[in-house]
């Protein structure tokens, strides 16, 4: 059995995520569903977990869900992180640049060196590219970093000029990463459905959602504050599937030549 909550699991948050999982686990067991004792972390917490027939619960990204996982997993629900200007369960990306860069508006960064975490990221690639296309901007992929913090660090270091960081991660980075003092926000995308929780096919999604929402509700005030969790909502799959799929970084690079 596998359970993972790796999308917002920075080291300072791991103890709180463990307690969240214990609450979910105990509720599942009380309802007759088997659940692992502890969370899986590391590389097995992502694609290995999402595609496993032994998956009990994990959190994925909206882009992998609609592009590859839909129809192969059960959509459980979406945690709500209380992002300003977004409906419950929704989030957005913020565009970050170096604090001392004289450019102020996002439009001034069209054509600049854009860092992204990975090509299947909703907040790091899909949303910013969709936003750019809608506003007549070009964000050429200059650097693939592997994570949001590394994209932000690349901008701070001068290896890229702009990156898109999801609003939850950006909030956590402001609390835990000193180098964010070297960055500024120059724009943001429209809201989109947040990172959904999923399970293997043919499971009781209602039972899992009740365990998730109940465990969040019974977290201590300190743990909810640490994780920035407000609750959980059920966003229909159609809301995820309605979002556009942008060109891959490689295709965009060729198109810009």
């Amino acid at each position: 059995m596998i359970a993972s909550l790796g999308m917002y699991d920075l080291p300072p948050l791991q103890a709180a995520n463990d307690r969240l999982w214990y609450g979910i686990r105990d509720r599942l067991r009380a309802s007759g569903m088997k659940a692992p004792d502890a969370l899986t972390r590391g590389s097995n917490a992502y694609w290995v977990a999402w595609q496993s027939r032994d998956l009990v619960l994990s959190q994925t990204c909206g882009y992998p869900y609609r592009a590859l996982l839909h129809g192969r997993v059960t959509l459980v629900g979406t945690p709500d992180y209380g992002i300003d200007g977004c409906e419950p369960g929704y989030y957005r990306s913020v565009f970050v640049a170096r604090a001392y860069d004289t450019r102020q508006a996002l439009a001034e960064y069209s054509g600049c060196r854009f860092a992204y975490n990975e090509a299947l990221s909703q907040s790091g690639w899909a949303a910013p590219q969709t936003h750019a296309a809608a506003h007549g901007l070009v964000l050429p992929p200059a650097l693939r970093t592997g994570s949001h913090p590394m994209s932000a660090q690349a901008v701070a270091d001068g290896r890229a000029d702009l990156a898109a960081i999801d609003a939850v991660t950006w909030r956590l980075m402001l609390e835990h990463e000193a180098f964010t003092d070297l960055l500024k926000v120059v724009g943001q995308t429209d809201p989109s459905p947040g990172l959904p929780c999923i399970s293997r096919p043919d499971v009781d999604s209602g039972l899992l959602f009740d365990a998730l929402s109940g465990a969040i509700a019974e977290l201590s005030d300190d743990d909810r504050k640490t994780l920035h969790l407000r609750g959980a909502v059920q966003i229909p799959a159609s809301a995820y599937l309605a979002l556009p799929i942008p060109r891959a970084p490689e295709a965009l690079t060729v198109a810009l030549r």
Side-chain angles (χ1 to χ4, degrees):
M1 293 175 292
I2 298 176
S4 63
L5 296 172
M7 302 305 282
Y8 300 123
D9 197 37
L10 297 173
L13 279 64
Q14 289 184 354
N17 272 323
D18 284 338
R19 288 187 285 272
L20 172 60
W21 169 245
Y22 299 153
I24 298 170
R25 176 199 67 191
D26 293 348
R27 283 168 173 77
L28 294 177
R29 289 177 175 176
S31 299
M33 177 182 273
K34 293 181 179 180
D37 289 335
L39 293 170
T40 292
R41 289 192 165 94
S43 59
N44 289 342
Y46 304 99
W47 282 104
V48 171
W50 301 340
Q51 300 178 92
S52 174
R53 293 290 301 182
D54 296 320
L55 176 63
V56 175
L57 188 71
S58 186
Q59 189 175 21
T60 186
C61 177
Y63 191 4
Y65 172 73
R66 72 179 182 275
L68 296 173
L69 296 172
H70 174 66
R72 300 168 59 191
V73 299
T74 295
L75 180 62
V76 174
T78 303
D80 174 31
Y81 296 93
I83 300 301
D84 291 341
C86 298
E87 297 177 27
Y90 280 62
Y91 77 150
R92 58 172 23 118
S93 302
V94 296
F95 290 97
V96 298
R98 283 182 297 283
Y100 58 81
D101 194 310
T102 58
R103 292 172 286 189
Q104 298 298 319
L106 179 61
E108 297 177 81
Y109 287 86
S110 184
C112 76
R113 298 173 299 164
F114 182 70
Y116 65 101
N117 54 340
E118 60 175 279
L120 276 174
S121 171
Q122 170 63 21
S123 54
W125 178 256
Q129 292 298 333
T130 298
H131 183 90
H135 291 82
L137 310 178
V138 178
L139 300 179
L143 180 63
R144 180 186 181 279
T145 66
S147 75
H148 280 308
M150 287 192 285
S151 294
Q153 185 72 67
V155 173
D157 293 345
R159 292 177 287 126
D161 301 308
L162 192 73
I165 313 297
D166 90 70
V168 181
T169 298
W170 178 243
R171 182 190 286 171
L172 294 171
M173 288 175 59
L174 289 173
E175 293 176 352
H176 301 289
E177 301 287 359
F179 75 84
T180 55
D181 290 343
L182 303 173
L183 300 171
K184 63 181 177 182
V185 174
V186 296
Q188 59 186 16
T189 66
D190 291 333
S192 61
L195 279 62
C197 289
I198 59 171
S199 184
R200 65 187 183 275
D202 304 321
V203 298
D204 186 338
S205 61
L207 187 155
L208 285 162
F209 179 78
D210 288 346
L212 172 65
S213 57
I216 292 173
E218 291 195 3
L219 282 173
S220 69
D221 289 344
D222 285 345
D223 281 348
R224 272 199 299 273
K225 182 178 179 181
T226 296
L227 298 174
H228 292 275
L229 273 173
R230 300 285 185 87
V233 297
Q234 291 179 299
I235 298 173
S238 58
Y240 288 95
L241 300 178
L243 297 174
I245 293 180
R247 284 184 289 184
E250 299 80 6
L252 181 58
T253 300
V254 170
L256 292 173
R257 287 176 181 169

